[in-house]
């Protein structure tokens, strides 16, 4: 009798362990269900033929200007160990303050220029009565998986269904922190605006159900008119890729030009001579939106340090500098607040006009709020 109970106990224990394992596998399968789709599409057909004609495309992939390394390995440094055990303070100590955008002060539509930074690179430009959304990412993680990958450090200050009518949606490149499948799908359903993207990125949008007539693919120096705006795909120094294959799509910066106002957005990029060239060709700019976070000496050629961001702003002949690409995702080994601290110090040293809004705060470019160091209280 005792032996029977012992065997039965083992069977129950084994069954429970089996059920737990099955539940775990089921959970993993559920979490990974969207991963294949999130990886996006691949160059094929007419899209591949067009890419092959680009001056940036050779040997089956897109390239930066000659002599640009992607990384600079340091044999005396273990990046994985530093990522796991480094002493940097890569998260804020308290919740990031969010602002619900208030109605803009009425102005002459011909002179209108305001900006709302929603976090990371997601930004709304309000220019001469038009609305242009940059690199929208509203998902909890910037990853192909909803269960793994960098998680948001703050919520979006508004929901996607609270966005105003958009005239254009711009994507700088296909990395997960700039191009998010779930966000694209919801914007496709809720908005009618076209997506303007660098060459090849349209393959991802195709796979996610964006209608072909809403996908505008551009090479560097190509311009597309949306209503009264001229939107130009400009050069950047970066790379692309959502799976194991790199550089199958192009990366870019963007020029948004109205009749009187002009804005420049860097996307992700290292500091390079192209900024002075863009400033000469398309500037001066009333505002620049410049990437300042996720830098490291190991990849210095493809992400700017804060001091380089100020130098780029000067090269671009910029008026007001608004930093982006910080505060929302933990993507590098520096302290959470370091990018904007360094930026503020350099901007003061070089007498550059600067605005550092809280996520969701509307900034009027002609009358920006004073920099108040709000992030330092939670650093």
């Amino acid at each position: 009798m005792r032996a029977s109970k012992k065997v039965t106990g083992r069977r129950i224990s084994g069954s429970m362990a089996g059920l737990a394992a099955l539940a775990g596998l089921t959970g993993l399968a559920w979490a990974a269900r969207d991963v294949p789709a999130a990886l996006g599409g691949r160059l094929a057909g007419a899209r591949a033929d067009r890419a092959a004609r680009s001056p940036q495309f050779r040997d089956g992939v897109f390239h930066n200007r000659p002599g640009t390394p992607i990384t600079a390995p340091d044999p005396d440094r273990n990046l994985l160990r530093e990522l796991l055990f480094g002493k940097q303070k890569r998260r804020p100590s308290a919740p990031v303050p969010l602002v619900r955008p208030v109605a803009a002060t009425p102005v002459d539509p011909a002179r209108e220029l305001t900006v709302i930074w929603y976090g990371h690179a997601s930004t709304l430009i309000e220019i001469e009565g038009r609305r242009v959304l940059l690199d929208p990412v509203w998902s909890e993680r910037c990853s192909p998986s909803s269960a793994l990958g960098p998680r948001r450090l703050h919520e979006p200050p508004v929901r996607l269904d609270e966005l105003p009518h958009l005239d254009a949606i711009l994507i700088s490149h296909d990395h997960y922190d700039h191009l998010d499948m779930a966000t694209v799908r919801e914007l496709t359903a809720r908005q009618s605006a076209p997506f303007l993207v660098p060459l090849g990125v349209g393959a991802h949008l195709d796979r996610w159900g964006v209608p072909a007539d809403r996908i505008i693919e551009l090479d560097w120096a190509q311009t597309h008119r949306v209503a009264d705006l001229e939107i130009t795909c400009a050069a950047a120094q970066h790379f692309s890729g959502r799976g194991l294959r790199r550089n199958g799509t192009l990366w870019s910066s963007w020029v948004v030009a109205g009749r009187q106002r002009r804005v420049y957005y860097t996307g992700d990029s290292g500091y390079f001579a192209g900024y002075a060239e863009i400033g000469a060709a398309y500037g001066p700019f009333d505002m620049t939106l410049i990437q300042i976070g996720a830098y490291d000496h190991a990849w210095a050629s493809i992400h700017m340090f804060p001091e380089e961001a100020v130098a780029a702003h000067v090269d671009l002949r910029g008026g007001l500098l608004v930093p982006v690409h910080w505060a929302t995702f933990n993507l590098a080994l520096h302290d959470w607040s370091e990018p904007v601290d360094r930026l503020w110090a350099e901007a003061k040293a070089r007498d550059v006009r600067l605005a550092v809004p809280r996520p969701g705060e509307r900034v009027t470019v002609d009358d920006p709020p004073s920099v108040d160091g709000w992030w330092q209280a939670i650093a």
Side-chain angles (χ1 to χ4, degrees):
M1 190 69 177
R2 290 178 180 172
S4 176
K5 286 183 178 180
K6 188 173 183 180
V7 170
T8 301
R10 287 176 180 168
R11 286 176 179 167
I12 292 173
S13 177
S15 297
M16 291 183 69
L19 287 172
L22 179 60
L25 290 172
T26 302
L28 286 173
W30 178 257
R33 69 194 185 283
D34 286 336
V35 169
L39 294 176
R42 294 177 68 92
L43 283 176
R47 181 171 283 114
D49 293 339
R50 186 179 176 201
R53 296 193 294 271
S54 168
Q56 282 62 248
F57 193 86
R58 59 185 180 275
D59 302 323
V61 293
F62 289 95
H63 291 263
N64 287 307
R65 296 181 176 190
T68 304
I70 297 298
T71 59
D74 182 348
D76 298 322
R77 188 178 179 201
N78 187 319
L79 287 174
L80 179 59
R81 182 169 59 233
E82 193 172 345
L83 179 66
L84 295 174
F85 305 110
K87 302 301 182 182
Q88 302 93 345
K89 190 176 180 183
R90 298 196 289 264
R91 296 175 177 274
S93 61
V96 175
L98 306 181
V99 176
R100 295 282 301 178
V102 297
T105 303
V107 296
D108 175 5
R111 294 291 302 166
E112 179 195 30
L113 184 56
T114 64
V115 62
I116 302 173
W117 173 61
Y118 296 118
H120 200 59
S122 302
T123 308
L124 179 70
I125 301 169
E126 302 173 310
I127 177 171
E128 297 180 9
R130 303 297 178 183
R131 305 291 177 265
V132 179
L133 184 63
L134 307 176
D135 284 351
V137 174
W138 257 249
S139 287
E140 181 69 12
R141 297 181 186 273
C142 55
S143 165
S145 168
S146 61
L148 300 171
R151 193 170 188 173
R152 302 185 71 93
L153 300 176
H154 67 81
E155 293 297 314
V158 299
R159 302 188 309 271
L160 284 173
D161 63 355
E162 295 178 302
L163 291 177
H165 169 79
L166 301 174
D167 294 281
I169 302 165
L170 309 187
I171 306 296
S172 64
H173 62 296
D174 70 1
H175 286 158
Y176 295 103
D177 58 323
H178 294 258
L179 178 62
D180 174 58
M181 179 180 69
T183 303
V184 166
R185 284 177 166 173
E186 188 163 349
L187 288 172
T188 300
R190 293 186 177 278
Q191 299 276 350
S192 59
F195 290 81
L196 277 66
V197 300
L199 289 178
V201 175
H204 303 317
L205 304 189
D206 272 347
R207 185 168 186 184
W208 301 337
V210 180
D213 62 358
R214 289 180 62 185
I215 302 172
I216 310 298
E217 292 185 75
L218 301 175
D219 201 350
W220 293 349
Q222 290 184 333
T223 297
H224 182 79
R225 180 172 285 277
V226 175
D228 302 323
L229 302 178
E230 286 190 346
I231 301 178
T232 300
C233 179
Q237 186 168 282
H238 199 56
F239 70 108
S240 67
R242 295 178 73 83
L244 297 178
R245 184 171 181 262
R246 275 190 175 182
N247 301 339
T249 64
L250 187 59
W251 46 95
S252 73
S253 60
W254 290 99
V255 174
V256 179
R259 290 192 173 97
Q260 299 187 54
R261 314 309 299 260
R262 289 175 175 266
V263 176
Y264 178 77
Y265 167 50
T266 60
D268 278 5
S269 178
Y271 180 72
F272 73 131
Y275 290 127
E277 296 166 8
I278 292 167
Y282 303 104
F285 295 102
D286 299 284
M287 174 178 62
T288 64
L289 298 161
I290 299 189
Q291 164 256 308
I292 67 164
Y295 51 80
D296 193 280
H297 288 291
W299 52 86
S301 65
I302 52 135
H303 273 275
M304 282 184 282
F305 289 85
E307 295 78 12
E308 292 175 320
V310 175
H313 174 83
V314 173
D315 290 349
L316 289 159
R317 302 162 66 202
L320 180 69
L321 192 166
V322 178
V324 298
H325 207 275
W326 77 284
T328 306
F329 295 109
N330 177 8
L331 300 176
L333 300 172
H334 52 65
D335 287 350
W336 175 79
S337 63
E338 181 184 296
V340 72
D341 282 332
R342 290 173 59 171
L343 181 81
W344 194 12
E346 186 70 6
K348 287 187 287 189
R350 300 193 63 170
D351 196 26
V352 164
R353 291 176 63 226
L354 178 68
V356 184
R358 295 156 178 81
E361 182 179 3
R362 177 181 273 108
V363 172
T364 300
V365 172
D366 291 336
D367 186 24
S370 299
V371 181
D372 60 7
W374 60 264
W375 62 90
Q376 294 177 339
I378 59 172

